[in-house]
């Protein structure tokens, strides 16, 4: 038989050829193909569920931030820059243009059919996925910076039961977000590995490339640096500045 993995080249003994490349379960070629296809579907759905759970944790944080801003605004209204930084970060994290699309589409600025213009979804696009991740990370940093500002400059506000309760809820949300990212990455790892197996490489072309490798969450670029927010910036100025290494 030919060593070519395409269906049209299986030649003399299709069953033996399929077993040689990894289809070990089931009796027939079709049944074996169905088993592999179903496994890819299961892994794909695991990714979808993990992403939905992650989105739920983001929504919970989003709902808490206006309450926190309201508490600070009522007690320290002159902290305009502090409040603006958090409010703007929240708006940036939820604006429609950075939300990831599952459906395949032509990237903005591309013309379908032209070179270097591939129809894909945002979970396959490193640039789009990174942009989304950066917006979420910036929001978390801004909220934590506001907390630190209140504790340092307004300990009376920071000591109120309402402020402390909201911060406990928000910090809990941050922990859940981090955990949800880990679960998503684990689901993506299982899916991508299944897709790269020989059996996945055979089945996927038959399904017209229904399955595509997904991007992982990466470590936040500023995870090991302190957020640098310019609380002395005037109205309309950019409050969140590039982070600086801790201790420098």
């Amino acid at each position: 038989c030919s060593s070519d993995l395409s269906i049209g080249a299986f030649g003399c003994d299709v069953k033996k050829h399929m077993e040689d490349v990894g289809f070990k379960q089931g009796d027939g070629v079709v049944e074996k193909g169905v088993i592999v296809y179903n496994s890819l579907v299961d892994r794909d759905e695991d990714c979808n569920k993990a992403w939905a759970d992650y989105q739920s944790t983001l929504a919970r944080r989003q709902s808490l931030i206006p309450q926190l801003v309201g508490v600070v605004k009522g007690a320290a209204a002159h902290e305009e820059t502090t409040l603006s930084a958090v409010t703007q970060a929240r708006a940036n994290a939820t604006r429609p243009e950075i939300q990831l699309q599952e459906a395949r589409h032509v990237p903005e600025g591309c013309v379908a059919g032209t070179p270097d213009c591939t129809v894909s979804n945002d979970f396959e696009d490193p640039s789009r996925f990174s942009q989304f991740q950066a917006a979420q990370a910036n929001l978390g940093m801004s909220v934590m910076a506001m907390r630190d500002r209140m504790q340092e400059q307004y300990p009376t506000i920071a000591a109120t039961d309402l402020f402390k309760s909201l911060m406990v809820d928000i910090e809990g949300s941050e922990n859940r977000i981090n955990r949800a990212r880990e679960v998503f990455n684990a689901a993506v790892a299982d899916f991508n590995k299944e897709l790269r197996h020989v059996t996945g490489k055979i089945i996927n072309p038959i399904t017209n490339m229904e399955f595509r490798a997904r991007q992982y969450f990466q470590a936040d670029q500023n995870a090991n640096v302190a957020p640098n927010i310019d609380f002395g910036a005037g109205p309309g100025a950019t409050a969140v500045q590039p982070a600086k290494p801790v201790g420098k």
Side-chain angles (χ1 to χ4, degrees):
C1 288
S2 168
S3 60
D4 192 328
L5 296 183
S6 64
I7 292 295
F10 282 172
C12 58
D13 191 341
V14 174
K15 182 176 180 179
K16 182 179 184 303
H17 193 102
M18 296 296 279
E19 289 177 347
D20 287 345
V21 296
F23 289 85
K24 296 296 185 183
Q25 298 177 332
D27 294 325
V29 171
V30 173
E31 184 178 352
K32 293 171 183 176
V34 169
I35 290 170
V36 174
Y37 177 80
N38 285 346
S39 180
L40 283 168
V41 169
D42 290 343
R43 299 287 188 272
D44 193 31
E45 286 304 313
D46 287 343
C47 292
N48 291 338
K49 181 182 182 302
W51 182 255
D53 290 343
Y54 169 71
Q55 292 283 67
S56 295
T57 64
L58 293 183
R60 184 176 186 276
R61 180 178 66 178
Q62 297 289 357
S63 68
L64 291 169
I65 289 174
Q67 301 176 56
L68 182 64
V69 169
V71 170
V72 175
K73 189 173 184 179
H78 57 286
E79 286 289 339
E80 179 180 351
T81 304
T82 310
L83 298 170
S84 295
V86 175
T87 302
Q88 185 60 53
R90 181 178 183 270
N92 288 342
T94 57
R95 68 185 193 274
E97 60 267 28
I98 73 160
Q99 303 309 308
L100 302 180
Q101 301 180 42
E102 177 71 25
R104 291 179 183 169
H105 59 280
V106 177
E108 185 177 351
C110 279
V111 178
T114 59
D116 301 324
C117 188
T118 304
V119 176
S120 64
N121 70 39
D122 292 336
F123 291 91
E124 306 165 29
D125 187 335
S127 176
R128 291 280 295 144
F129 201 87
S130 176
Q131 182 184 29
F132 175 86
Q133 179 180 339
Q136 306 309 321
N138 188 59
L139 175 55
M141 290 173 58
S142 297
V143 172
M144 293 302 107
M146 181 167 72
R147 176 203 61 188
D148 295 343
R149 174 70 170 179
M150 293 301 102
Q151 290 175 340
E152 293 171 1
Q153 300 296 324
Y154 306 94
T156 302
I157 299 174
T160 63
D161 290 340
L162 183 53
F163 184 89
K164 288 192 293 185
S165 176
L166 285 170
M167 284 311 309
V168 167
D169 287 341
I170 288 176
E171 289 169 3
S173 293
E174 291 294 332
N175 291 334
R176 277 186 280 272
I177 287 169
N178 289 334
R179 175 56 184 158
R181 283 172 42 153
E182 293 175 0
V183 172
F184 177 78
N185 275 359
V188 169
D190 288 342
F191 174 71
N192 286 354
K193 285 188 291 186
E194 185 87 5
L195 197 56
R196 291 185 63 191
H197 287 166
V198 173
T199 48
K201 289 181 178 293
I202 292 174
I203 291 299
N204 205 25
I206 296 174
T207 65
N208 195 28
M209 305 301 289
E210 177 180 346
F211 306 101
R212 302 287 182 91
R214 297 173 182 245
Q215 293 295 312
Y216 295 94
F217 279 112
Q218 305 295 329
D220 292 330
Q221 293 181 353
N222 294 323
N224 296 319
V225 297
N228 179 32
I229 296 186
D230 182 5
F231 293 107
T238 301
V240 181
Q241 304 296 330
K244 296 180 180 179
V246 176
K248 293 185 178 181

